[in-house]
Amino acid sequence: GLAVPATQTVAVGRLLAKGIVVKAPDGLERLAEVDTVIFDKTGTLTEGKPKLVTIVPTAGVNEQVLLSHVAAVEYASEHPLAEAIVSGARERDFAIEDVQNFESITGEGAQGTVKSKVVAIGNSKMMRRIGAYEEALATQADDYRREGQTVMFVAIDGVPAGLIGVADPVKATSAEAIVMLHREWLKVVMLTGDSDATAQSVARQLGIDEVHADVSPGDKNRIIRELQAAGSVVAMAGDGINDAPALAQANVGIAMGSGTDVAMESAGVTLVKGDIMGIAKARHLSRATMNNIRQNLFFAFIYNALGVPVAAGILYPVFGILLSPMIAAAAMSFSSVSVITNALRLRSLKL
């Protein structure tokens, strides 16, 4: 009876010591079966603390007016990029006006009314929808994206007004974590609402196998379902409200402790420190845990396979041997000690 719970208890304790919370012990078993790990980009692979680095107004648009209007809209948003834009405006001592009719448009951006002008900030999909897409501006945006910036288009009253570029540095441990996941023979995929150029820049830095850019929260869920339908066992790591459906859909949902409560509620595993090295460590420990459980079940089977027939008197007709109740009790105790001792070996596993 101790073969499985003893090992699970030791493993969960080790993970807790490393800042990794597993809601249910069977999550370790599912993690050992995973063959594909999907990452959200912002706040998961990157710091999630972006900084405003580029402001490019179009001809006839004042830089201060552009940033003040954009910051007014983004002040009402909860996205990490919005916070960077607002902080950038404050650092430059630009006024942040009041906004009316704020609207967050999933997979596109946000818009609102500032000083009677409709200000929209978002991706090319949004600009095409409102008729403010400009090829020359898009080409300029791609140049910044190849540098790893997340670039957003701005339109005022349906007219292209400029670009806003934000850089979000990659976490110091992300590259090492992905190397470790590759050693575990895992496929690494990145899903992001950012443009393909920005996503590819991050992917090149980290050695990511597959990239899906310009995706909406619904797209993330769909991609996971498609991978599962193809036979993959998927772990998804994310930190935002928009990641919650994908975290719930994945075979193993992994939330960043630095992320939203909704994401952590939807996930089966939480990385308290928000460090994705925890995924590689949890995967390594999960495989060791399953091997340990198999060894414990083998020990239990051997003890029972040898002890029960002898206790039943199978050797008595030939050898006159009966198993003393005291010896039987000692053997069962030794069985439990063997299982627990084997389980405790996980405490010395290098993570």
Side-chain angles (χ1 to χ4, degrees), residues 3-345:
V4 175
T7 301
Q8 289 178 333
T9 300
V10 174
V12 169
R14 281 226 63 189
L15 290 176
L16 280 171
K18 293 291 182 179
I20 304 164
V21 179
V22 180
K23 284 185 179 178
D26 62 355
L28 286 169
E29 180 179 349
R30 292 196 299 271
L31 192 57
E33 296 169 353
V34 164
D35 55 32
T36 303
V37 180
I38 296 178
F39 289 101
D40 172 54
K41 182 180 80 67
T42 304
T44 304
L45 293 173
T46 63
E47 294 286 355
K49 298 177 181 177
K51 185 177 179 64
L52 178 65
V53 292
T54 300
I55 309 168
V56 182
T58 55
V61 178
N62 178 273
E63 179 180 305
Q64 181 174 347
V65 171
L66 175 67
L67 182 55
S68 294
H69 280 48
V70 169
V73 175
E74 296 291 20
Y75 186 77
S77 175
E78 296 181 350
H79 196 281
L81 299 182
E83 184 179 344
I85 293 170
V86 173
S87 296
R90 284 175 171 160
E91 288 170 5
R92 292 165 174 80
D93 293 324
F94 291 175
I96 299 176
E97 308 291 343
D98 293 331
V99 62
Q100 287 81 40
N101 306 317
F102 173 80
E103 183 182 6
S104 177
I105 303 166
T106 302
E108 292 189 10
Q111 68 179 32
T113 303
V114 182
K115 287 189 171 182
S116 302
K117 295 181 181 294
V118 178
V119 180
I121 176 168
N123 56 21
S124 57
K125 187 187 302 183
M126 181 185 216
M127 294 300 114
R128 285 191 173 96
R129 182 176 59 78
I130 65 175
Y133 182 81
E134 190 175 88
E135 193 65 44
L137 209 55
T139 300
Q140 195 173 5
D142 284 339
D143 291 337
Y144 290 114
R145 286 168 179 152
R146 279 189 281 272
E147 297 172 4
Q149 294 185 39
T150 297
V151 183
M152 292 153 280
F153 297 95
V154 183
I156 298 177
D157 284 338
V159 177
L163 302 172
I164 297 290
V166 174
D168 185 11
V170 171
K171 289 181 180 177
T173 56
S174 291
E176 184 182 354
I178 289 173
V179 168
M180 291 177 67
L181 291 173
H182 281 148
R183 286 176 185 163
E184 294 281 328
W185 302 100
L186 295 175
K187 178 181 179 181
V188 180
V189 179
M190 182 173 74
L191 305 183
T192 177
D194 284 344
S195 70
D196 186 63
T198 302
Q200 293 294 347
S201 174
V202 173
R204 284 193 297 272
Q205 289 181 58
L206 299 179
I208 290 171
D209 303 311
E210 185 177 317
V211 176
H212 296 266
D214 283 319
V215 297
S216 66
D219 290 332
K220 292 180 182 180
N221 196 287
R222 172 185 55 78
I223 291 167
I224 290 174
R225 289 199 308 271
E226 289 174 353
L227 287 168
Q228 290 171 329
S232 295
V233 181
V234 180
M236 166 72 188
D239 73 325
I241 294 174
N242 290 340
D243 296 322
L247 292 172
Q249 176 63 41
N251 300 90
V252 181
I254 303 169
M256 302 297 108
S258 54
T260 63
D261 291 341
V262 174
M264 286 185 277
E265 184 64 30
S266 302
V269 178
T270 299
L271 306 180
V272 176
K273 299 177 183 177
D275 184 353
I276 66 167
M277 281 290 289
I279 300 175
K281 292 175 181 178
R283 162 71 174 189
H284 182 54
L285 181 60
S286 69
R287 294 181 66 186
T289 298
M290 296 312 298
N291 286 334
N292 194 282
I293 286 174
R294 294 185 190 99
Q295 292 165 1
N296 282 346
L297 289 173
F298 175 76
F299 290 149
F301 174 77
I302 289 296
Y303 278 114
N304 283 282
L306 295 176
V308 171
V310 174
I314 193 172
L315 299 179
Y316 184 76
V318 179
F319 301 103
I321 297 175
L322 285 173
L323 190 63
S324 164
M326 292 180 64
I327 296 176
M332 290 304 296
S333 297
F334 188 67
S335 171
S336 297
V337 170
S338 298
V339 165
I340 293 172
T341 301
N342 189 51
L344 289 173
R345 289 194 307 114

